[in-house]
């Protein structure tokens, strides 16, 4: 059975790169009927926090990435927090020392720094040469010591499922620390110990871990464990081709949620950062991604995070949402803006859904509905002063608006076609351009110079509301409606 893991460190919230790694692992497991293990690597006690753990879990939940084992769900290989597994790491280090694969290092931090300052590029195995008597004396004295892994000479090779064969020369890898003098494991020891005990078969992670792989393979081999298959996925860069960071905008996944992005859009966008299904399809549902995903489609080159492309995906996925689901997602935003009414999912749902459908083609994020749709949802129109000066405070406009009011009142049916015909007839009769009246009416009913199609807006607002706003506009420009 395929078993993969996502193992974030709770020293920060779930960021875009981590979310993409989690997604690839999730897709791989779901595609092949495997299991996804969520493991929290919280051995950095000073920087880790329960708040960050919850932030990571919230990000995964928002994306819809469930896990089969881990926090909140349990499983046969727990605990799933590394801080609760310290004794296991110490036992593995002791085993490696006992069998001669690792050794105690009593060198102080100051001594190691002095050697580096003197030009010694890698650890010179000072403590590897200690005799049994010298080691015993230091142990009896309680001298603090770390544990170092002994790196053999020769070439280490592994077949990466993305990059193909990768080789490292052992001569360039120093005897690395696996257990610090304070008894805490380094990343290399804890990750191998956990992956072995949790029966992980495939390790899918970022390219920045390639240099860790030969060290971990040494550990697997030293304890006689099967080495999992590795797939190192490309890093995510900003549009400036530098590694993605906060300077490129939001990096925490939940920040995108707060900015009005849909999880479906983010999932679709992240999946295509470094992976291609082949063909020209870009829009995918979650189920379509599961059916299409394969590690063979992952590119070896770095991916570029393009915010404009994310906006496009979001716009497309917003368009795919049925009105009732979109209304449900808009409710918290409209409530926060003081614009929500329960009737929008009750007896006024048909009208509200018409508003949503009219705005859909123009919005990129959910909060755009609040900004662009405000004039539909409030009686108090907020007029743009420049638009009023340009289109309403002009010679003859009060009389033109009064004529439009009379024409609209006399229509048998008030809809897009009839309101447009009436406006154009008034324009011809009063010898003004139709565009002049169209601009004026747009400012009259929306308060702005830009909106969805005017006659669609008039139809959705309805005759009574349009006439009420004509009266408000007339009052605004200082002339009462006749």
């Amino acid at each position: 059975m395929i078993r993969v893991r996502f193992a974030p460190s709770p020293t920060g919230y779930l960021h875009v790169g981590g979310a993409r790694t989690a997604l690839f692992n999730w897709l791989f497991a779901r595609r092949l009927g495997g299991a996804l293990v969520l493991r929290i690597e919280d051995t950095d006690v000073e920087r880790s926090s329960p708040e960050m753990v919850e932030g990571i879990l919230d990000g995964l939940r928002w994306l819809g990435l469930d896990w089969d084992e881990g926090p909140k769900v349990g499983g046969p290989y727990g605990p799933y927090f590394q801080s609760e597994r310290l004794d296991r790491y110490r036992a593995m280090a002791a085993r490696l020392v006992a069998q001669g694969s690792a050794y105690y290092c009593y060198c102080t931090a100051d001594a190691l720094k002095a050697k580096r300052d003197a030009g010694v590029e890698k650890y010179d195995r000072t403590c590897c040469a200690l005799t049994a008597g010298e080691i015993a004396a230091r142990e009896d004295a309680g001298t603090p010591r770390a544990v170092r892994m002994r790196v053999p000479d020769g070439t280490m090779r592994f077949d990466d499922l993305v990059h193909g064969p990768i080789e490292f020369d052992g001569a360039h890898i120093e005897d690395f620390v696996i257990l610090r003098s304070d008894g805490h494991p380094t990343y290399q020891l804890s990750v191998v110990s956990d992956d072995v005990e949790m029966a992980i078969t495939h390790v899918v992670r970022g390219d920045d871990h390639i240099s860790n792989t030969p060290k971990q393979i040494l550990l697997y081999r030293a304890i006689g464990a099967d080495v999992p298959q590795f797939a190192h996925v490309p890093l995510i860069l900003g549009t400036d081709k530098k590694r993605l960071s906060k300077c490129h905008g939001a990096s925490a996944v939940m920040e995108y949620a707060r900015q009005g992005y849909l999880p479906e859009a983010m999932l679709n966008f992240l999946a295509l950062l470094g992976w291609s299904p082949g063909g020209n399809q870009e829009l995918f549902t979650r189920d379509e991604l599961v059916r299409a995903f394969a590690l063979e489609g992952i590119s070896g080159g770095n991916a570029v995070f393009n915010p404009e492309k994310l906006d496009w995906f979001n716009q497309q996925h917003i368009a795919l949402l049925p009105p009732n689901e979109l209304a449900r997602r808009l409710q918290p935003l409209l409530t926060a803006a003081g614009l929500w009414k329960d009737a929008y999912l009750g007896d006024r749902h048909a009208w509200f859904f018409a508003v949503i459908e009219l705005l859909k083609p123009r919005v990129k994020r959910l909060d755009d509905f609040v900004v662009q749709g405000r004039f539909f949802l409030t009686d108090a129109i907020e007029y743009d002063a420049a638009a009023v000066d340009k289109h309403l405070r002009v010679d003859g406009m009060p009389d033109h608006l009064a004529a439009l009011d009379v024409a609209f009142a006399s229509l048998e049916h008030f809809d897009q076609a009839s309101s447009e015909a009436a406006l154009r007839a008034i324009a011809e009769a009063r010898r003004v351009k139709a565009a002049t009246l169209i601009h004026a009416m747009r400012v009259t009913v929306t308060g702005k110079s830009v909106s969805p199609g005017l006659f669609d807006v008039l139809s959705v607002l309805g005759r009574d509301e349009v006439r009420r706003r004509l009266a408000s506009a007339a009052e605004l420009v200082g002339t009462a409606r006749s």
Side-chain angles (χ1 to χ4, degrees), residues 72-96:
K72 309 295 185 181
V73 300
Y77 297 99
Y80 294 94
F81 286 81
Q82 286 192 338
S83 59
E84 300 173 17
R85 302 174 65 87
L86 296 178
D87 288 346
R88 302 171 192 236
Y89 309 141
R90 292 163 185 156
M92 181 173 168
R95 172 185 168 185
L96 290 168

Side-chain angles (χ1 to χ4, degrees), residues 316-385:
Q316 300 304 309
H317 281 277
I318 285 175
L320 293 173
L321 286 179
N324 59 330
E325 175 59 22
L326 183 52
R328 185 187 67 80
R329 301 196 195 191
L330 289 174
Q331 183 176 354
L333 296 173
L334 293 174
T335 299
L339 299 174
W340 179 258
K341 295 178 181 179
D342 290 340
Y344 294 160
L345 287 178
D347 56 10
R348 295 201 70 197
H349 74 277
W351 177 84
F352 184 63
F353 290 176
V355 171
I356 288 176
E357 290 301 316
L358 185 56
L359 295 173
K360 261 186 180 182
R362 304 177 63 85
V363 301
K364 294 180 179 179
R365 307 179 188 181
L366 291 180
D367 50 1
D368 289 341
F369 281 99
V370 178
V371 175
Q372 297 185 28
R374 179 178 291 273
F375 70 87
F376 278 115
L377 309 175
T378 180
D379 293 333
I381 299 299
E382 298 177 0
Y383 293 98
D384 178 82

Side-chain angles (χ1 to χ4, degrees), residues 402-459:
L404 284 170
D405 181 52
V406 172
F408 290 159
S410 65
L411 292 175
E412 182 177 358
H413 300 290
F414 189 80
D415 54 25
Q416 297 99 317
S418 63
S419 61
E420 181 176 3
L423 182 144
R424 293 186 182 280
I426 292 296
E428 183 176 357
R430 302 186 68 82
R431 297 183 180 181
V432 296
K433 293 181 179 179
T436 299
L437 298 187
I438 289 173
H439 292 314
M441 277 303 301
R442 178 173 283 111
V443 177
T444 293
V445 296
T446 72
K448 304 181 186 307
S449 58
V450 178
S451 75
L454 172 64
F455 302 107
D456 292 320
V457 169
L458 298 181
S459 177

Side-chain angles (χ1 to χ4, degrees), residues 17 34 41-42 68 85 121 151 211 218 231 245 269 315 319 335 366 373 381 409 414 438 464:
E41 299 190 342
D42 59 344
D68 303 291
R85 302 174 65 87
E121 295 183 357
V151 178
S211 61
L218 285 176
S245 65
F269 175 69
Q315 189 173 34
T335 299
L366 291 180
I381 299 299
F414 189 80
I438 289 173
D464 291 345

Side-chain angles (χ1 to χ4, degrees), residues 137-187:
R138 284 168 171 76
E139 289 295 300
D140 290 342
T143 304
R145 37 75 165 166
V147 176
R148 286 185 182 269
M149 188 69 183
R150 192 191 306 269
V151 178
D153 294 332
T155 299
M156 282 172 284
R157 179 183 183 278
F158 69 96
D159 291 320
D160 190 278
L161 296 175
V162 174
H163 297 281
I166 297 178
E167 291 187 352
F168 286 88
D169 187 348
H172 298 148
I173 303 174
E174 71 173 1
D175 290 357
F176 54 96
V177 174
I178 59 174
L179 193 72
R180 298 184 181 92
S181 59
D182 63 2
H184 279 77
T186 62
Y187 171 75

